Amino acid sequence: MSDVQTCSLCPRLCRHACPVSVGTGREAATPTAIAGVLVDHARGQVSDELARQAATLCVDCGACQDACHLHQPLPAMLREARDVLLSPSPEPDLPAVPAGVSVLLLIAQSADSLRPTAQVPSDAHVVVCPDRLGVDHDFGSSPALGAVLAAFTGLELYTMDGGIFDVLHRAGLEPKWALDVPPTSVGSCVCALGERPPLACCGARGPLREHHPESAVHLAQAFARRLAPGSVLLDTRCAQHLRNSGCAVDPHGVARQGETA
Ligand code: SF4
Ligand code: SF4
């Protein structure tokens, strides 16, 4: 039996962990239901469009796999399905690295109000990555990640942006986190730091926001209501998405609990 079939027959054991399933309350958004559509699609019983709708009800957070007693690789299976069902993502806009540079601090914007920790070497070369290495696109298992790997292999990498960290990590690199933010004040991007987010996802990640914008707004509003006062949003994606969803976010990315703009 294939892995995706196993998920399609599962009594929804990981649904409580999936932020899309919980945040939307939609039965169709449970990992089991999504897998069921993909199995039916492979049998020719549902359209490509229905399969696309199902495979994009995901923020690619990995929580289902973590919660699964079988450790089923459902996130990777959904990525592979999206590779087939969606058009390829554009190549990321990669910054040029001057010759002789060995340490990079990658930031999202030049006016970033956050300051890196003292652990970042003083000779680190700062590069601005306006599209955050293309994180807003759903890479799936795309070769674009190979371009990121090739561009930065051999360099010591630091970043203060969860989205940039996310892309570097997914490309197989080992970026270092350049902020010393107490975990209790982290409101976002912990998915990108390899810890399971206590607040799940705000809906900014993965293909959800582009393909299911209304569901992504529901996730953002639920996320903002659960944020502790003064939480720091460490991922520019999240700050923008929360702001676009009507939630109160300061210009430097600090959300205020429960408020809406
Ligand atoms: S990942 Fe595990 S718990 Fe989730 S649907 Fe698949 S088999 Fe079930
Ligand atoms: S990767 Fe995350 S969003 Fe996608 S199905 Fe699994 S738990 Fe849900």
Side-chain angles (χ1 to χ4, degrees), residues 36 187 231:
S231 297

Side-chain angles (χ1 to χ4, degrees), residues 41-67:
H41 180 255
R43 291 176 179 149
Q45 293 169 348
V46 301
S47 66
D48 286 355
E49 179 52 27
L50 198 57
R52 228 182 333 267
Q53 291 292 317
T56 52
L57 275 167
C58 179
V59 290
D60 199 14
C61 66
C64 48
Q65 186 170 347
D66 282 356

Side-chain angles (χ1 to χ4, degrees), residues 13 62 67 84 88-89 96 125 187 221 253:
L13 294 178
V84 174
S89 298
H125 181 75
Q221 292 173 344

Side-chain angles (χ1 to χ4, degrees), residues 6-7 10 13-14 31-32 64-65 68 70 72 74:
T6 303
C7 290
C10 170
L13 294 178
C14 64
T32 297
C64 48
Q65 186 170 347
C68 176
L70 300 172
Q72 284 282 86
L74 182 58

Side-chain angles (χ1 to χ4, degrees), residues 71-197:
H71 216 59
Q72 284 282 86
L74 182 58
M77 291 188 275
L78 295 183
R79 255 178 256 139
E80 283 166 20
R82 293 194 292 269
D83 282 347
V84 174
L85 293 163
L86 303 179
S87 311
S89 298
E91 288 291 312
D93 185 9
L94 298 178
V97 180
V101 165
S102 60
V103 186
L104 281 187
L105 172 62
L106 299 100
I107 62 173
Q109 51 203 349
S110 52
D112 207 323
S113 60
L114 298 170
R115 291 285 158 261
T117 61
Q119 289 161 7
V120 179
S122 56
D123 62 345
H125 181 75
V126 179
V127 286
V128 183
C129 309
D131 80 340
R132 284 158 282 146
L133 308 182
V135 71
D136 281 333
H137 305 297
D138 176 39
F139 281 121
S141 45
S142 132
L145 290 174
V148 174
L149 180 62
F152 299 118
T153 293
L155 296 169
E156 189 176 347
L157 304 168
Y158 292 85
T159 186
M160 301 181 291
D161 184 86
I164 293 173
F165 189 104
D166 198 0
V167 175
L168 294 171
H169 184 68
R170 287 173 62 176
L173 294 159
E174 293 182 356
K176 295 174 184 159
W177 191 240
L179 282 178
D180 188 19
V181 178
T184 49
S185 69
V186 175
S188 186
C189 113
V190 277
C191 50
L193 291 171
E195 299 167 28
R196 273 308 127 223

